[in-house]
Amino acid sequence: MAAAAVVQIPVGATFLKTFKKSFVDVPIDAEKGNAISTAEFLEAAESLTTMFDVLGSIAFSPVKTDMLGNVEKIRKRMLAAPLASQNIQDLVRNELKTKSHTATEGLLWLVRGLEFTCIALSKNINSTEELADSFRGSYSETLMRHHSFLVKPIFSAAMGACPYRKDFYAKLGDDEQKVQEELREYLAALDKIVYILKGFLESKEAKW
């Protein structure tokens, strides 16, 4: 599989501004139990996977493919029952009523992948450690316990292939201060969404 081409960043902008949708812009309806708008959430999750292209190694391809596959499972359900799937929580509730859990299980794994990425980048931006160390630390906290002995080496290879910290941030934009400010805002929004969805997925109404 050939490595995906990294998007060109307009002059004066950052890589995050090339995203089709940012988690910062995903609607959350506090009056409906923090309901997260499905279409925008899926677009933001798809956009995040382009970050793996910036990491620059073909070793991240399985990680990206897995996340996109889970996005597709959720989108398929959304398109099959649009009125019952306008927010993520209703999509899950209504799918489970049909005795199916394909999209719900996809959401579970997608949220795990998002949490893994969010924690890794948050660890890195708030420290001086190398990306490989941040991703390894995040993996041990999040995905490792869910993975078989066959999958763990795939992720280990990806994390070992991370670029140097300085090279990674340089790829996100010319203005390092702007890159860090936007990335912090983005990660805070992603962290909030992960927190909401993890809580929902651990509730009785999301069990199958």
Side-chain angles (χ1 to χ4, degrees), residues 50-169:
T50 62
M51 191 75 78
F52 295 118
D53 300 332
V54 181
L55 289 166
S57 171
I58 196 167
F60 275 98
S61 293
V63 183
K64 180 177 178 179
T65 300
D66 182 66
M67 290 179 71
L68 289 175
N70 289 317
V71 166
E72 200 50 44
K73 289 175 185 176
I74 302 164
R75 180 171 284 129
K76 187 174 180 180
R77 171 64 193 177
M78 179 185 75
L79 295 174
L83 294 178
S85 307
Q86 292 182 4
N87 65 69
I88 286 289
Q89 292 92 328
D90 280 350
L91 182 150
V92 167
R93 294 182 187 107
N94 289 305
E95 184 194 41
L96 293 178
K97 288 176 185 175
T98 71
K99 306 302 181 186
S100 172
H101 59 262
T102 302
T104 303
E105 189 171 2
L107 176 66
L108 178 65
W109 280 102
L110 178 58
V111 169
R112 287 171 177 171
L114 293 174
E115 182 183 34
F116 159 68
T117 310
C118 184
I119 289 176
L121 293 175
S122 296
K123 279 177 177 288
N124 197 263
I125 202 168
N126 292 312
S127 72
T128 58
E129 68 183 12
E130 288 295 339
L131 276 170
D133 296 325
S134 298
F135 272 92
R136 286 191 188 101
S138 177
Y139 184 65
S140 66
E141 288 180 33
T142 57
L143 289 172
M144 182 182 278
R145 63 182 175 273
H146 303 295
H147 282 168
S148 69
F149 70 94
L150 293 173
V151 175
K152 286 174 183 175
I154 295 171
F155 276 75
S156 293
M159 291 178 285
C162 282
Y164 287 115
R165 174 191 176 88
K166 60 180 177 59
D167 296 334
F168 173 70
Y169 287 106

